[in-house]
Amino acid sequence: MGPLQSFLKARPFLKARLGTEVIGLGLFLLLVVVVFSLLSDRFLTAANFGSVAVQLPELGLLTLAMLLPILSGGLNLAVTYTANISALTLAWVLQANGGPEAGFGAFFLGSVLALAVGGASGFVMGAVVAYSRAHPILVSLAMMIFLRGLGEYLTRGGDISGFPDFVAAIGHGSVLGVPAPLIVFLVCVLLWQILLGRSRLGFFTYMVGSNIEATRYSGVNTKRALTLIYTLSGIMCAVAGIVMMARFNSVRVGHGEAYLLITVLACFLGGVDPFGGFGRVTSVLLALVILQLLSSGLNLLGANQHLSTAVWGLFLIAVMVLRFAWKRWIEMRRNGT
């Protein structure tokens, strides 16, 4: 039995266990690897995959922060600035305790406060969305503007640097050859997988995204659920901010602002319904890996980052067209036409 026949035979089992999105993205990931390995002899190297592993966590953590609001039928446009203000909180604590001479205790305290600031930002957004029924886009846009202005005011538009050596080790170190930021990201992926797949809040998140009025009439406290969703989104933003600070060894307002639209792109590429109610963490993870490998492959071929961004946009358009064609084909088969 050949590989193609084996795959076709196993397809129903894989579809049931993984879902169509995961299978499709997995096949496309394989295609990307094959194509770029043929175009560049440097693609399938430890150096290239090491670079991807270091760059992936920043975008990945911000995408996880964006995922929950989108699943609930909303959006969080303040993810990058929440990450920045949280990282600034940690930086100020370190600066107040000796800067380069600060100990791990100061770092721990600053990290807790950074997570609290991120959570508070998300809590405010969630509460406003839940209790005022204002549109999440407008609420998160207002929070984004507020956090950006506040950060610019407090830092005078500059950056903060000068941290203990162990902070840089967190951003650039490794454990058994695995980059430390990647370990943080994978742990967060596992937590999000458990949250969405095995918790009441995860179930409520999908329900709210599918039909918030029906969810409310079924007895679910949708206001509390939305507030928790955005609070957790803010906490994940803070984790991203800490990782970014450790990697760049500095903090300023605007770090990672180019990631905002890419987080939305990664969610949609991962099969998340833009209107909420459907999406998987594993699919989003595969989409992130594909985007990062596309960027890395184009970079090895001499293309600049702007072309990579254009390719990402074309990729999204192609995926939407293919999904539409696939759904139409399925409907035609069901109708017998």
Side-chain angles (χ1 to χ4, degrees):
M1 183 180 295
L4 179 59
Q5 290 79 6
S6 299
F7 171 76
L8 292 175
K9 185 176 180 179
R11 185 174 177 270
F13 173 79
L14 293 173
K15 183 178 179 180
R17 298 290 296 178
L18 301 176
T20 304
E21 291 291 344
V22 174
I23 296 173
L25 287 169
L27 291 174
F28 190 82
L29 174 60
L30 179 62
L31 177 64
V32 169
V33 172
V34 171
V35 170
F36 280 112
S37 63
L38 293 175
L39 294 176
S40 174
D41 56 0
R42 293 181 295 165
F43 187 79
L44 292 179
T45 61
N48 182 49
F49 286 109
S51 176
V52 170
V54 170
Q55 297 174 28
L56 179 64
E58 300 163 24
L59 175 60
L61 290 168
L62 290 174
T63 302
L64 291 179
M66 182 66 77
L67 177 60
L68 287 185
I70 292 181
L71 287 175
S72 69
L75 201 66
N76 184 0
L77 296 177
V79 287
T80 55
Y81 289 103
T82 302
N84 289 333
I85 204 72
S86 300
L88 284 170
T89 302
L90 172 56
W92 287 324
V93 172
L94 292 175
Q95 290 290 315
N97 287 274
E101 306 301 324
F104 189 79
F107 177 81
F108 178 78
L109 174 62
S111 297
V112 171
L113 292 176
L115 294 173
V117 167
S121 171
F123 175 83
V124 171
M125 284 188 288
V128 173
V129 170
Y131 289 91
S132 73
R133 299 194 181 184
H135 200 287
I137 291 179
L138 297 178
V139 176
S140 60
L141 178 62
M143 180 60 73
M144 179 185 75
I145 295 172
F146 167 72
L147 293 177
R148 180 176 182 176
L150 178 64
E152 293 283 4
Y153 170 75
L154 294 175
T155 62
R156 300 297 188 271
D159 58 5
I160 300 178
S161 58
F163 306 127
D165 292 338
F166 64 81
V167 173
I170 294 174
H172 298 277
S174 61
V175 178
L176 300 177
V178 181
L182 183 61
I183 295 176
V184 174
F185 171 58
L186 293 178
V187 169
C188 291
V189 167
L190 179 61
L191 290 175
W192 247 225
Q193 180 70 26
I194 295 173
L195 171 70
L196 291 172
R198 298 182 178 276
S199 72
R200 288 166 58 88
L201 179 60
F203 181 62
F204 293 161
T205 300
Y206 287 111
M207 289 180 64
V208 169
S210 297
N211 191 323
I212 189 170
E213 292 300 326
T215 304
R216 183 181 294 115
Y217 288 134
S218 68
V220 176
N221 189 336
T222 56
K223 294 179 180 179
R224 180 184 179 187
L226 281 171
T227 304
L228 284 174
I229 287 167
Y230 280 87
T231 300
L232 289 174
S233 175
I235 292 174
M236 187 59 72
C237 289
V239 175
I242 294 171
V243 170
M244 290 166 65
M245 188 197 84
R247 181 164 179 252
F248 294 115
N249 203 32
S250 67
V251 186
R252 68 172 177 82
V253 177
H255 263 169
E257 60 183 350
Y259 287 147
L260 173 58
L261 295 179
I262 303 175
T263 61
V264 179
L265 169 65
C267 287
F268 292 166
L269 287 180
V272 179
D273 192 323
F275 300 104
F278 178 81
R280 294 188 178 193
V281 177
T282 49
S283 299
V284 173
L285 175 60
L286 281 173
L288 285 166
V289 174
I290 290 171
L291 287 175
Q292 201 63 62
L293 288 177
L294 279 172
S295 177
S296 177
L298 291 171
N299 183 59
L300 291 176
L301 295 178
N304 59 33
Q305 183 60 41
H306 300 295
L307 180 59
S308 299
T309 304
V311 170
W312 286 348
L314 290 174
F315 180 39
L316 176 59
I317 294 173
V319 168
M320 289 189 293
V321 171
L322 288 173
R323 282 179 183 160
F324 173 77
W326 176 260
K327 289 180 180 179
R328 290 285 295 175
W329 184 70
I330 294 296
E331 291 175 359
M332 291 174 63
R333 285 190 62 186
R334 287 176 179 173
N335 296 332
T337 58

